[in-house]
Amino acid sequence: MPDTPTSPKSGGRLTLMENLLGLLRIRIIRGVNLAVRDVRSSDPYVVVKMGKQTVYDHDTFSKDDKMGCAEVDIKAFMEALKMNLKNLPSGTTITRMLPARQNCLAEESCVVWKDGKVVQDIYLRLRNVECGEVEIQLQWIDLPNHKG
């Protein structure tokens, strides 16, 4: 019997590393036209949560000021990971998402096969704030010897 995460050899327990198929890299590229929350500027940082992305202004002597929030749906990105893309030329667009009232996209976002990886550049319009956008990039990193 092979040693699987739930086999008697592994004690019937699941470990995190045994179940990971890969890692989702979220790169925060830049903020554009962000709201000013201090005297003349802001010192923003990003908090990424499952399903939500939030931008704050860091304050040393008082509570951090919220500078907007944005949500992004990664369903199309995750669906692209399930496709057999290995023979496609680099730069091939897999799917497109358009800005709509239901999403925070500031412009069209494409899931692309690039240099052997699934990549998506996303420009998010911040909500609950007078102005601001955040540019992020999603990239999937396969783990060697994953059990997928």
Side-chain angles (χ1 to χ4, degrees), residues 34-47 54-68:
L34 298 175
V36 174
R37 290 293 183 254
D38 291 333
V39 177
R40 292 192 183 132
S41 66
S42 295
D43 40 6
Y45 64 92
V46 175
V47 176
T54 308
V55 179
Y56 288 90
D57 169 50
H58 175 75
D59 288 330
T60 304
F61 301 108
S62 63
K63 185 178 175 200
D64 291 354
D65 302 311
K66 193 167 186 178
M67 294 178 64

Side-chain angles (χ1 to χ4, degrees), residues 2-18:
D3 185 18
T4 61
T6 57
S7 71
K9 244 181 163 179
S10 68
R13 66 185 181 278
L14 299 173
T15 65
L16 180 61
M17 289 308 290
E18 288 173 323

